[in-house]
Amino acid sequence: VQLQASGGGLVQAGGSLRLSCVASGTIFSLNSAGWYRQASGNEREMVAYIGSSGYRGYADSVKGRFTISRDNAKNTVYLQMNNLSPEDTAVYYCNVGPLNRVTATQFDRWGQGTQVTVSS
């Protein structure tokens, strides 16, 4: 699976960003997809996931602020991030696979990720 994440950048606290991730080399529509982040010095954590049927789940820290969505025709998963805070600063990654692996962050290979920096 090849993953290309984009859309990161520098934003002020309270601002918004929309991340995109294009997946190739897999039947995207049959798989779940997730967004993850890794802040400097921290382990990678799951932020949000979306199942093949559209069922969504979020980390408590982003509920009500982030929205995950997918476009199967474009093999793309999105993460709309609103009301950003400095605590959201991290490299954001996406991945695609069976739901149990997506929710458990069980992947050996990752794409390059996209940097999100939120200034106070």
Side-chain angles (χ1 to χ4, degrees), residues 8 16-17 19-20 28 41 51 64 69 73 79 83 86 98-99 102 112:
S16 298
L17 284 173
L19 306 184
S20 299
F28 180 77
S69 61
L79 186 68
N83 193 22
L99 182 61
V102 167
Q112 66 194 33

mmCIF file of all heavy atoms in Angstrom, residues 8 16-17 19-20 28 41 51 64 69 73 79 83 86 98-99 102 112:
data_model
loop_
_atom_site.group_PDB
_atom_site.id
_atom_site.type_symbol
_atom_site.label_atom_id
_atom_site.label_comp_id
_atom_site.label_asym_id
_atom_site.label_seq_id
_atom_site.Cartn_x
_atom_site.Cartn_y
_atom_site.Cartn_z
ATOM 1 N N GLY A 8 -1.026 19.514 5.550
ATOM 2 C CA GLY A 8 -0.524 20.086 6.785
ATOM 3 C C GLY A 8 0.013 21.494 6.573
ATOM 4 O O GLY A 8 0.087 21.990 5.451
ATOM 5 N N SER A 16 -8.191 26.121 11.327
ATOM 6 C CA SER A 16 -8.609 24.851 10.742
ATOM 7 C C SER A 16 -7.645 24.408 9.645
ATOM 8 O O SER A 16 -6.990 25.237 9.002
ATOM 9 C CB SER A 16 -10.015 24.977 10.128
ATOM 10 O OG SER A 16 -10.973 25.305 11.106
ATOM 11 N N LEU A 17 -7.582 23.115 9.456
ATOM 12 C CA LEU A 17 -6.847 22.509 8.348
ATOM 13 C C LEU A 17 -7.615 21.287 7.875
ATOM 14 O O LEU A 17 -8.338 20.645 8.662
ATOM 15 C CB LEU A 17 -5.445 22.076 8.770
ATOM 16 C CG LEU A 17 -4.373 23.146 8.946
ATOM 17 C CD1 LEU A 17 -3.107 22.509 9.538
ATOM 18 C CD2 LEU A 17 -4.048 23.827 7.632
ATOM 19 N N LEU A 19 -6.732 17.709 6.046
ATOM 20 C CA LEU A 19 -5.718 16.779 5.563
ATOM 21 C C LEU A 19 -6.349 15.804 4.570
ATOM 22 O O LEU A 19 -7.514 15.434 4.697
ATOM 23 C CB LEU A 19 -5.113 15.994 6.722
ATOM 24 C CG LEU A 19 -4.544 16.812 7.880
ATOM 25 C CD1 LEU A 19 -3.895 15.868 8.894
ATOM 26 C CD2 LEU A 19 -3.558 17.848 7.401
ATOM 27 N N SER A 20 -5.541 15.389 3.606
ATOM 28 C CA SER A 20 -5.970 14.402 2.624
ATOM 29 C C SER A 20 -4.944 13.284 2.567
ATOM 30 O O SER A 20 -3.753 13.517 2.778
ATOM 31 C CB SER A 20 -6.087 15.036 1.232
ATOM 32 O OG SER A 20 -7.035 16.079 1.213
ATOM 33 N N PHE A 28 -9.322 0.173 -1.839
ATOM 34 C CA PHE A 28 -9.582 1.146 -0.773
ATOM 35 C C PHE A 28 -10.985 0.987 -0.195
ATOM 36 O O PHE A 28 -11.167 1.028 1.017
ATOM 37 C CB PHE A 28 -9.384 2.551 -1.334
ATOM 38 C CG PHE A 28 -9.629 3.646 -0.336
ATOM 39 C CD1 PHE A 28 -8.687 3.942 0.625
ATOM 40 C CD2 PHE A 28 -10.807 4.385 -0.368
ATOM 41 C CE1 PHE A 28 -8.908 4.956 1.553
ATOM 42 C CE2 PHE A 28 -11.041 5.395 0.541
ATOM 43 C CZ PHE A 28 -10.083 5.684 1.510
ATOM 44 N N GLY A 41 8.805 13.212 20.560
ATOM 45 C CA GLY A 41 9.043 12.560 21.834
ATOM 46 C C GLY A 41 7.927 11.652 22.303
ATOM 47 O O GLY A 41 8.046 11.025 23.351
ATOM 48 N N GLY A 51 -14.631 3.115 9.043
ATOM 49 C CA GLY A 51 -14.762 1.793 8.489
ATOM 50 C C GLY A 51 -15.211 1.826 7.040
ATOM 51 O O GLY A 51 -15.567 2.875 6.499
ATOM 52 N N GLY A 64 -15.529 16.179 18.528
ATOM 53 C CA GLY A 64 -16.190 17.462 18.407
ATOM 54 C C GLY A 64 -15.398 18.501 17.640
ATOM 55 O O GLY A 64 -15.931 19.561 17.292
ATOM 56 N N SER A 69 -13.563 11.583 6.969
ATOM 57 C CA SER A 69 -14.468 11.201 5.892
ATOM 58 C C SER A 69 -13.669 10.495 4.806
ATOM 59 O O SER A 69 -12.428 10.500 4.838
ATOM 60 C CB SER A 69 -15.195 12.426 5.321
ATOM 61 O OG SER A 69 -14.269 13.352 4.778
ATOM 62 N N ALA A 73 -14.297 6.818 -4.503
ATOM 63 C CA ALA A 73 -14.020 7.029 -5.927
ATOM 64 C C ALA A 73 -12.639 7.629 -6.142
ATOM 65 O O ALA A 73 -12.042 7.468 -7.213
ATOM 66 C CB ALA A 73 -15.085 7.925 -6.537
ATOM 67 N N LEU A 79 -9.267 14.389 6.775
ATOM 68 C CA LEU A 79 -9.416 14.741 8.181
ATOM 69 C C LEU A 79 -9.606 16.253 8.253
ATOM 70 O O LEU A 79 -8.665 16.999 7.994
ATOM 71 C CB LEU A 79 -8.207 14.313 9.007
ATOM 72 C CG LEU A 79 -8.357 14.511 10.512
ATOM 73 C CD1 LEU A 79 -9.416 13.560 11.072
ATOM 74 C CD2 LEU A 79 -7.025 14.305 11.229
ATOM 75 N N ASN A 83 -10.845 24.217 15.214
ATOM 76 C CA ASN A 83 -10.507 24.674 16.566
ATOM 77 C C ASN A 83 -9.192 24.046 17.049
ATOM 78 O O ASN A 83 -9.120 23.493 18.150
ATOM 79 C CB ASN A 83 -11.639 24.353 17.533
ATOM 80 C CG ASN A 83 -11.493 25.075 18.858
ATOM 81 O OD1 ASN A 83 -10.808 26.100 18.945
ATOM 82 N ND2 ASN A 83 -12.112 24.535 19.892
ATOM 83 N N PRO A 86 -2.368 24.186 20.207
ATOM 84 C CA PRO A 86 -0.948 23.797 20.136
ATOM 85 C C PRO A 86 -0.724 22.319 20.467
ATOM 86 O O PRO A 86 0.241 21.724 19.956
ATOM 87 C CB PRO A 86 -0.286 24.711 21.163
ATOM 88 C CG PRO A 86 -1.144 25.937 21.155
ATOM 89 C CD PRO A 86 -2.546 25.426 20.976
ATOM 90 N N PRO A 98 -7.547 -3.642 7.476
ATOM 91 C CA PRO A 98 -8.682 -4.184 8.224
ATOM 92 C C PRO A 98 -8.963 -3.341 9.463
ATOM 93 O O PRO A 98 -8.054 -2.760 10.057
ATOM 94 C CB PRO A 98 -8.208 -5.587 8.601
ATOM 95 C CG PRO A 98 -7.120 -5.913 7.633
ATOM 96 C CD PRO A 98 -6.452 -4.608 7.324
ATOM 97 N N LEU A 99 -10.218 -3.327 9.882
ATOM 98 C CA LEU A 99 -10.616 -2.461 10.983
ATOM 99 C C LEU A 99 -9.829 -2.743 12.260
ATOM 100 O O LEU A 99 -9.425 -1.816 12.968
ATOM 101 C CB LEU A 99 -12.114 -2.614 11.246
ATOM 102 C CG LEU A 99 -12.690 -1.720 12.344
ATOM 103 C CD1 LEU A 99 -12.503 -0.242 12.001
ATOM 104 C CD2 LEU A 99 -14.161 -2.029 12.575
ATOM 105 N N VAL A 102 -6.502 -1.083 11.955
ATOM 106 C CA VAL A 102 -6.629 0.376 11.939
ATOM 107 C C VAL A 102 -6.838 0.898 13.353
ATOM 108 O O VAL A 102 -6.191 1.856 13.782
ATOM 109 C CB VAL A 102 -7.780 0.810 11.015
ATOM 110 C CG1 VAL A 102 -8.139 2.269 11.228
ATOM 111 C CG2 VAL A 102 -7.411 0.566 9.555
ATOM 112 N N GLN A 112 4.899 9.091 4.509
ATOM 113 C CA GLN A 112 5.771 10.139 5.027
ATOM 114 C C GLN A 112 5.094 11.043 6.027
ATOM 115 O O GLN A 112 5.758 11.705 6.821
ATOM 116 C CB GLN A 112 6.298 10.990 3.868
ATOM 117 C CG GLN A 112 5.188 11.772 3.166
ATOM 118 C CD GLN A 112 5.658 12.326 1.836
ATOM 119 O OE1 GLN A 112 6.479 11.712 1.164
ATOM 120 N NE2 GLN A 112 5.125 13.461 1.444
#
